[in-house]
Amino acid sequence: MPYASIFRSDLFRDQVALITGGGSGIGRCIAHELASLGAKVVLASRDPAKLERVVAEIKEDGGQASAIPCNIRVEAEVTALYDAVIGAHGRVDLLVNNSGGQFVSPAESISLRGWNAVLETNLTGTFLMCRGAHQHGMSEKGGAIVNIVADMWRGMPMMSHSGAARAGVVNLTQTLALEWAGCGIRVNAVAPGLIASSGLSNYPEPVQEALAELPKELPFGRMGTESEVSAAVVYLLSPGARYITGETVRVDGASSLYRHAFVLPPGAVAPAYRGLHRPTTAPKGLLGDEE
Ligand code: ADE
């Protein structure tokens, strides 16, 4: 059975699509969908074994795929990646920056090393990949970039590094869209909410237990699927989105408008400031410190 894409099967025929982090989860799904639509897919991440498994899957389905191991935090490796892609295919038409990673920790316990690692992977790595695409032909031939971010709109408790980095990518997306509009490069982002993907299995057991309880608190009563994220990515890469750039599309079933994603540790009621020197008719009992 082929990938059940809603898009035309020759939509990206012979276009070269570079996907970071395509070895698992959402990236793997995007790779499958793009390959099913005729793209020559190049997967790039740090784990060659995972990449090769996905390449084999795509080839088994009749698609075109290859893998190039790359640590997107290392400038020289990103340059080598682009040199290899251009050497093999002559161009890059589509780029999906899906590589990312973080760990769960209260902000005060994050070491500088840990902070920098998450910022380098999610923000700097995305910048290096975008800049590489511009430098390796996209600025002449045009192209489309989609950056995968996260639901960090109301802060990201226990993942301050990732929230800051992803918010940075949203702004980078806007800036690059403006700077590169004139050379035909569109830059957009997709912000997935809670997605039932293999990435969730990487979190420690207590986080897994909390995640299992979350679906009933979401507006749709469920998490999203990898293919629901992929469909948005494919649309933004497609000619149908040629007047869309600098945009971040939320694929989260309105959960960013609604849910309490994390239970904060209980703490003291924050003391209220009362500057008004006259009596007030405001209802009592709302400030946590009244009799
Ligand atoms: N996925 C997670 N971290 C990565 C990195 N540094 N480079 C490429 N893919 C990654």
Side-chain angles (χ1 to χ4, degrees):
M1 201 176 67
Y3 190 102
S5 180
I6 64 153
F7 297 95
R8 219 179 56 215
S9 62
D10 64 347
L11 187 60
F12 298 117
R13 188 168 53 210
D14 292 334
Q15 292 194 35
V16 179
L18 178 54
I19 304 167
T20 65
S24 61
I26 292 169
R28 167 174 169 258
C29 185
I30 294 168
H32 270 288
E33 183 160 18
L34 290 175
S36 80
L37 302 174
K40 294 175 185 164
V41 166
V42 181
L43 306 179
S45 80
R46 282 183 308 184
D47 187 337
K50 276 163 92 180
L51 295 183
E52 288 304 341
R53 275 199 294 275
V54 179
V55 167
E57 288 177 354
I58 290 174
K59 286 186 173 167
E60 203 179 298
D61 295 343
Q64 302 178 76
S66 57
I68 303 174
C70 175
N71 182 347
I72 59 165
R73 287 156 58 174
V74 180
E75 187 175 22
E77 290 198 27
V78 172
T79 303
L81 166 65
Y82 276 103
D83 287 344
V85 177
I86 298 301
H89 300 291
R91 55 191 291 152
V92 178
D93 303 290
L94 313 168
L95 167 64
V96 180
N97 284 308
N98 164 79
S99 274
Q102 61 266 310
F103 55 91
V104 176
S105 172
E108 64 273 21
S109 307
I110 298 175
S111 66
L112 179 59
R113 193 181 142 96
W115 173 269
N116 284 340
V118 173
L119 268 283
E120 281 169 19
T121 301
N122 295 288
L123 179 58
T124 310
T126 299
F127 163 70
L128 291 175
M129 288 299 301
C130 290
R131 192 188 64 176
H134 185 280
Q135 289 170 338
H136 289 81
M138 234 188 228
S139 60
E140 283 110 52
K141 300 184 178 87
I145 299 175
V146 173
N147 299 321
I148 307 296
V149 291
D151 174 359
M152 46 58 209
W153 306 103
R154 299 187 299 169
M156 212 169 178
M158 309 302 281
M159 294 190 196
S160 54
H161 38 26
S162 185
R166 309 310 187 136
V169 172
V170 168
N171 197 269
L172 177 68
T173 299
Q174 294 170 323
T175 301
L176 297 183
L178 290 167
E179 288 194 14
W180 296 351
C183 56
I185 305 177
R186 295 184 301 104
V187 190
N188 289 293
V190 165
L194 280 163
I195 303 300
S197 92
S198 54
L200 291 186
S201 318
N202 298 334
Y203 290 111
E205 190 53 38
V207 178
Q208 304 276 355
E209 282 164 23
L211 285 169
E213 292 303 308
L214 277 178
K216 56 179 180 285
E217 291 180 28
L218 304 177
F220 280 169
R222 67 165 176 90
M223 293 192 186
T225 66
E226 293 166 349
S227 42
E228 285 164 341
V229 178
S230 182
V233 173
V234 169
Y235 169 67
L236 289 170
L237 294 174
S238 80
R242 279 202 184 143
Y243 206 54
I244 301 178
T245 192
E247 186 56 80
T248 299
V249 175
R250 300 183 196 202
V251 181
D252 66 7
S255 55
S256 57
L257 303 175
Y258 175 71
R259 80 188 146 91
H260 300 280
F262 296 91
V263 178
L264 297 177
V269 173
Y273 163 65
R274 290 180 174 85
L276 181 62
H277 60 298
R278 299 232 177 221
T280 170
T281 55
K284 298 267 181 241
L286 302 180
L287 298 173
D289 59 355
E290 285 125 335
E291 298 285 287

